[in-house]
């Protein structure tokens, strides 16, 4: 959460930094700020509450700069406001700093060193800049030593960029747990939380690792470890199709990303097949999983919901018992593990702090792990034993759509490959099943007007909504509810249909929307019975059923697909319902309130 950028070079830094912040807005968008130094070494701070466009309006267009740092914030400590927006400055204005992360011991540091100091903001960040001033101005340490000394006090997570006015043309950067990349250019260098922010300037990036410090000038990138030893590290090439980063003709990224799903499924199949066209996963991963007696899937939010579907795939196709855990719970309340556990981290961003804290303890215990992620080189990918990529292309809307379907697709392939090797199944059908699912998704997308109409009738005005289903349909109901609530702000719950009568049915009143999924043969009749119970109490019902189980009065009928892959298709009307509900209610679909795309704080 929070995004940071920095530029030092001979071009005007202002548009480069603002463009970078636009690309990082997915990480937080409650306020933003810039610090720039012009060629006469005069520093300027600009800050604004709200989006990057609000910051743009604050900036004096005549200011040109050759060095600068910028920040887009997702508030943790202190309300969204211009005062709490970064950058923060020392009182002398010599040091200016932006920070992504949470300093857990900022109160203690304040009490110990800055007791007399009246802080200007409510943030945990501001103490960092005052401690720099303390060590350099009171204890007369050179900047780098003052920075090292300051960092040694900090507990928690940070990616920081710092400019010392007395050393113009240099950005100091450091990180612990929060991501930070250094970008290399000809006659310039950059820093950023995500390569996407600076891909217009360069595609050559070097990762900064925990506890390292970088000294960035226009001609040099120096990396040092905590002891001050110089390190050398090769740059990697970030591969983005710049069109993937644009909305094109779509009004919102979410609309584009929903529509991309058939192509994503096909891309996943392509990525995991041999030249002969057989599904294939790196044998070392398969071997490691075959040695395991139990899989532990760890994830958060939508990725957790994909993990729930993954459990069904691994148990039924691979024959390996599988548990799925919410990352933020698992880390601090670990259950008794099996003898040979294998951990699977599912994370679109690969940066989720809740999942990462589990991975840290998994690594301490030397358990093997696999990260399934969309982000090459992300923290979870780097720190786990193995990685499988989603190949979904950048997902920019905060509400996850194509990552969910890609996650399930990758797990479907992996579970089949393992199942075949283990002899649990004998025939490879997944490639065909996924391509049938891609066609089915396309057909739902083509009938989106029908779903827009349902959203406008059922979800324009309501305060509550419920999704119900059984088996895999229940799991999709959970994801559907998350999607609807996070972008429409309608209070929505997903339930196992059979559970309604055990309590929740008390909430059903005249007009309450109930959206039921009916794609499972064995339980279809029961779910329909549950729907009738809600109709008897005045609910407005929408039924999303699968061909073969559908009735003429059903509202959305999805084509028949493999019974383990129904979530790939039944989730599409739910994504579209959420999209249109949000749109009709006048919300910012891509940037719902209070949220950020990459959740890098616990
Ligand atoms: C919801 C959503 C979130 C994420 C969750 C985990 O639409 O996007 O619930 O799924 O924050 O994020 P990743 O997958 O990046 O670990």
């Amino acid at each position: 959460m929070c995004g940071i950028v920095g530029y030092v070079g001979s071009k005007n830094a202002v548009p480069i930094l603002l463009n970078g912040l636009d690309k990082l807005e997915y990480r937080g968008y409650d306020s933003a700020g810039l610090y720039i130094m012009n060629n006469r070494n005069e520093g300027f701070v600009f800050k604004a509450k709200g989006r990057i466009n609000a910051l743009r309006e604050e900036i004096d267009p005549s200011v040109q700069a050759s060095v600068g740092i910028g920040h887009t914030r997702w508030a943790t400590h202190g309300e969204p406001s211009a005062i709490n927006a970064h950058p923060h400055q020392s009182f002398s204005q010599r040091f200016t700093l932006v920070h992504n992360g949470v300093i857990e011991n900022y109160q203690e540091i304040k009490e110990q060193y800055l007791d007399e100091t009246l802080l200007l903001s409510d943030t945990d960040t501001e103490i960092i800049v005052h401690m720099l001033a303390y060590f350099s101005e009171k204890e007369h340490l050179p900047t780098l030593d003052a920075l090292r000394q300051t960092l040694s006090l900090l507990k928690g997570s940070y990616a920081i960029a710092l400019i010392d006015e007395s050393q113009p043309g240099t950005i100091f950067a450091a990180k612990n747990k929060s991501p930070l990349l250094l970008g290399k250019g000809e006659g310039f260098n950059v820093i950023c939380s995500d390569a996407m922010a600076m891909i217009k300037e360069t595609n050559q990036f070097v990762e900064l690792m925990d506890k390292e410090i970088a000294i960035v000038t226009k001609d040099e990138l120096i990396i040092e470890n905590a002891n001050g030893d110089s390190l050398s590290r090769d740059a990697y090439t970030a591969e983005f199709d710049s069109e993937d980063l644009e909305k094109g003709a779509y009004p919102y990224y979410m609309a584009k990303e929903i529509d991309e799903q058939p192509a994503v499924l096909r891309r996943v199949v392509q990525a995991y097949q041999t030249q002969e066209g057989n599904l294939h996963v790196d044998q070392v991963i398969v071997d490691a999983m075959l040695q395991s007696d139990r899989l532990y899937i760890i994830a958060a939010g939508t990725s957790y919901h994909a993990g729930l579907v993954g459990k069904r795939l691994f148990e039924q196709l691979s024959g390996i018992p599988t548990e799925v855990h919410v990352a933020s719970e698992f880390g601090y309340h670990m259950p008794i593990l099996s003898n040979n556990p294998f951990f699977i981290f599912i994370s679109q961003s690969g940066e989720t702090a809740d999942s990462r804290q589990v991975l840290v303890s998994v690594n301490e215990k030397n358990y093997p792990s696999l990260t399934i992620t969309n982000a090459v080189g992300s923290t979870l990918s780097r720190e786990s034993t193995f990685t499988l990529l989603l190949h979904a292309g950048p997902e920019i809307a905060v509400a996850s759509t194509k990552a969910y379907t890609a996650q399930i697709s990758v797990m479907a392939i992996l579970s089949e490959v393992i199942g075949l090797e283990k002899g649990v199944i004998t025939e490879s059908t997944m490639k065909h099943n996924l391509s049938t699912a891609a066609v089915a998704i396309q057909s739902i997308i083509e009938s989106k007007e029908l779903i827009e109409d349902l959203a406008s009738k059922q979800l324009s005005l309501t305060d509550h909504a419920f999704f119900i289903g059984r088996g895999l349909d229940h799991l999709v109901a959970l994801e559907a509810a998350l999607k609807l609530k996070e972008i429409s702000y309608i209070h929505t719950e997903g339930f196992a249909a059979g559970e309604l009568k055990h309590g929740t049915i008390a909430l059903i009143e005249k007009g309450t929307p109930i959206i039921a999924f009916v794609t499972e043969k064995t339980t279809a009749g029961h779910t329909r019975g549950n729907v009738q119970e809600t109709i008897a109490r005045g609910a407005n019902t929408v039924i999303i059923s699968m061909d073969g189980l559908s009735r003429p009065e059903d509202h959305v009928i999805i084509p028949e697909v493999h019974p383990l892959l129904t979530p790939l298709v039944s989730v599409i009307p739910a994504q579209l319902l959420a999209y249109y509900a949000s749109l009709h209610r006048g919300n910012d679909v891509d940037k719902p309130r209070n949220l950020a795309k990459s959740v890098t704080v616990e």
Side-chain angles (χ1 to χ4, degrees):
M1 284 161 143
C2 300
I4 68 181
V5 284
Y7 172 90
V8 49
S10 41
K11 287 199 220 163
N12 181 11
V14 180
I16 296 174
L17 294 171
L18 286 172
N19 178 59
L21 289 179
D22 279 334
K23 296 286 179 285
L24 292 182
E25 228 182 10
Y26 74 89
R27 301 176 71 88
Y29 35 82
D30 61 49
S31 57
L34 276 191
Y35 173 75
I36 45 179
M37 283 185 94
N38 67 14
N39 295 338
R40 291 191 300 278
N41 298 335
E42 294 162 332
F44 299 85
V45 172
F46 300 99
K47 294 188 188 193
K49 183 179 167 185
R51 305 284 166 89
I52 310 302
N53 278 342
L55 174 65
R56 265 195 183 89
E57 281 168 22
E58 292 294 312
I59 294 175
D60 174 353
S62 66
V63 178
Q64 300 264 322
S66 51
V67 57
I69 51 180
H71 187 269
T72 178
R73 178 169 186 252
W74 185 85
T76 59
H77 296 68
E79 61 169 12
S81 67
I83 289 196
N84 289 331
H86 301 210
H88 293 283
Q89 282 195 307
S90 58
F91 293 118
S92 64
Q93 299 188 346
R94 177 175 155 193
F95 295 106
T96 308
L97 173 132
V98 292
H99 164 227
N100 162 29
V102 171
I103 306 304
E104 287 158 13
N105 60 338
Y106 77 104
Q107 291 284 15
E108 288 91 315
I109 294 176
K110 173 161 174 21
E111 277 156 31
Q112 192 176 341
Y113 295 93
L114 305 166
D115 211 20
E116 304 290 292
T117 312
L118 193 63
L119 300 186
L120 299 176
S121 74
D122 300 321
T123 64
D124 52 329
T125 300
E126 195 186 335
I127 56 114
I128 309 177
V129 85
H130 296 312
M131 287 313 301
L132 279 160
Y134 174 94
F135 286 121
S136 77
E137 287 160 14
K138 281 207 178 129
E139 305 217 343
H140 307 293
L141 294 182
T143 308
L144 207 47
D145 291 340
L147 178 59
R148 247 182 232 118
Q149 204 60 36
T150 303
L151 297 177
S152 71
L153 299 177
L154 305 183
K155 291 208 178 95
S157 54
Y158 57 80
I160 61 173
L162 163 77
I163 293 183
D164 172 358
E165 197 189 36
S166 70
Q167 293 190 45
T170 302
I171 301 174
F172 298 91
K175 79 147 236 150
N176 185 42
K177 296 186 186 168
S178 302
L180 196 60
L181 298 174
L182 313 172
K184 284 178 128 173
E186 290 287 314
F188 72 91
N189 285 307
V190 296
I191 62 164
C192 48
S193 304
D194 181 331
M196 239 195 269
M198 286 293 169
I199 196 74
K200 263 192 161 171
E201 306 306 318
T202 178
N203 63 359
Q204 296 300 300
F205 290 92
V206 181
E207 285 162 28
L208 198 62
M209 303 298 180
D210 284 355
K211 308 273 163 117
E212 292 177 351
I213 292 179
I215 302 119
V216 183
T217 61
K218 84 189 205 349
D219 300 313
E220 248 186 336
L221 281 178
I222 299 169
I223 303 178
E224 294 186 354
N225 66 15
N227 304 324
D229 308 320
S230 276
L231 306 169
S232 86
R233 186 164 302 137
D234 290 339
Y236 70 89
T237 305
E239 281 163 15
F240 285 118
D241 183 340
S242 54
E243 269 187 26
D244 278 352
L245 303 178
E246 305 302 334
K247 284 202 290 274
Y250 286 92
Y252 286 100
Y253 281 105
M254 186 180 179
K256 174 173 179 255
E257 289 161 8
I258 290 173
D259 279 11
E260 282 172 352
Q261 291 176 103
V264 168
L265 256 65
R266 294 189 184 104
R267 209 151 61 212
V268 169
V269 169
Q270 228 170 23
Y272 291 102
Q273 67 178 1
T274 59
Q275 276 185 344
E276 295 72 43
N278 302 320
L279 290 180
H280 168 81
V281 175
D282 200 342
Q283 194 60 37
V284 285
I285 302 179
V286 176
D287 289 344
M289 290 179 70
L290 283 169
Q291 279 166 27
S292 164
D293 57 357
R294 187 168 285 258
L295 307 178
Y296 292 83
I297 297 180
I298 311 293
T302 289
S303 297
Y304 169 72
H305 294 153
L308 295 173
V309 178
K311 171 183 163 73
R312 308 290 167 109
L313 289 161
F314 288 120
E315 293 195 335
Q316 292 192 32
L317 299 180
S318 317
I320 310 178
T322 305
E323 293 180 21
V324 193
H325 292 272
V326 167
S328 55
E329 284 299 307
F330 188 87
Y332 301 104
H333 308 95
M334 222 182 256
I336 297 172
L337 299 177
S338 66
N339 291 334
N340 294 309
F342 183 94
F343 284 83
I344 300 179
F345 292 86
I346 307 178
S347 175
Q348 188 283 130
S349 63
E351 298 295 345
T352 299
D354 291 324
S355 299
R356 202 230 174 189
Q357 53 89 10
V358 179
L359 179 55
V360 168
S361 53
V362 162
N363 283 344
E364 277 163 12
K365 295 180 175 74
N366 282 322
Y367 293 136
S369 58
L370 162 70
T371 289
I372 299 179
T373 183
N374 208 19
V376 188
S378 56
T379 306
L380 288 170
S381 161
R382 279 200 319 269
E383 295 182 359
S384 60
T385 328
F386 309 109
T387 295
L388 290 177
L389 291 175
L390 294 178
H391 300 282
E395 190 183 63
I396 291 166
V398 163
S400 185
T401 52
K402 61 178 179 171
Y404 173 82
T405 42
Q407 287 161 346
I408 294 174
S409 305
V410 170
M411 285 187 284
I413 293 172
L414 179 60
S415 57
E416 185 185 89
V417 169
I418 293 171
L420 286 169
E421 184 118 355
K422 207 173 162 190
V424 178
I425 48 174
T426 50
E427 203 191 342
S428 175
T429 60
M430 200 48 79
K431 189 173 160 185
H432 168 75
N433 299 338
L434 285 168
S435 93
T436 309
V439 173
I441 294 173
Q442 189 64 48
S443 76
I444 308 286
I445 289 170
E446 279 162 16
S447 58
K448 56 170 79 152
E449 290 79 19
L450 163 79
I451 296 165
E452 175 163 21
D453 190 47
L454 284 171
S456 114
K457 286 195 180 114
Q458 303 281 359
L459 301 171
S460 288
L461 297 172
T462 187
D463 290 331
H464 307 277
F466 297 92
F467 285 91
I468 61 170
R470 290 168 182 250
L472 285 170
D473 289 339
H474 166 219
L475 308 183
V476 176
L478 298 177
E479 171 56 10
L482 176 60
K483 212 82 318 170
L484 183 60
K485 74 176 95 165
E486 71 179 321
I487 58 172
S488 71
Y489 318 144
I490 299 168
H491 165 235
T492 317
E493 303 296 336
F495 279 99
E499 275 291 289
L500 264 190
K501 58 185 177 296
H502 295 290
T504 312
I505 202 161
L507 295 173
I508 308 298
E509 47 192 38
K510 195 166 166 13
T512 306
I514 297 280
I515 300 145
F517 296 99
V518 183
T519 73
E520 201 183 74
K521 204 169 172 189
T522 43
T523 58
H526 292 305
T527 303
R528 288 191 186 276
N530 300 132
V531 170
Q532 287 306 319
E533 291 154 12
T534 68
I535 291 174
R537 284 150 185 94
N540 282 348
T541 55
V542 172
I543 297 189
I544 299 168
S545 61
M546 192 164 74
D547 217 4
L549 298 172
S550 64
R551 291 191 183 159
E553 66 273 21
D554 293 348
H555 301 82
V556 182
I557 298 171
I558 66 170
E560 196 170 346
V561 293
H562 186 281
L564 282 170
L565 298 185
T566 54
L568 289 177
V569 189
S570 55
V571 79
I572 308 297
Q575 294 171 347
L576 288 165
L577 279 172
Y579 173 76
Y580 287 117
S582 174
L583 198 69
H584 293 167
R585 292 167 85 105
N587 300 343
D588 183 338
V589 176
D590 285 341
K591 297 192 181 98
R593 69 187 182 201
N594 305 339
L595 291 172
K597 182 80 184 153
S598 179
V599 187
T600 54
V601 293
E602 279 186 42

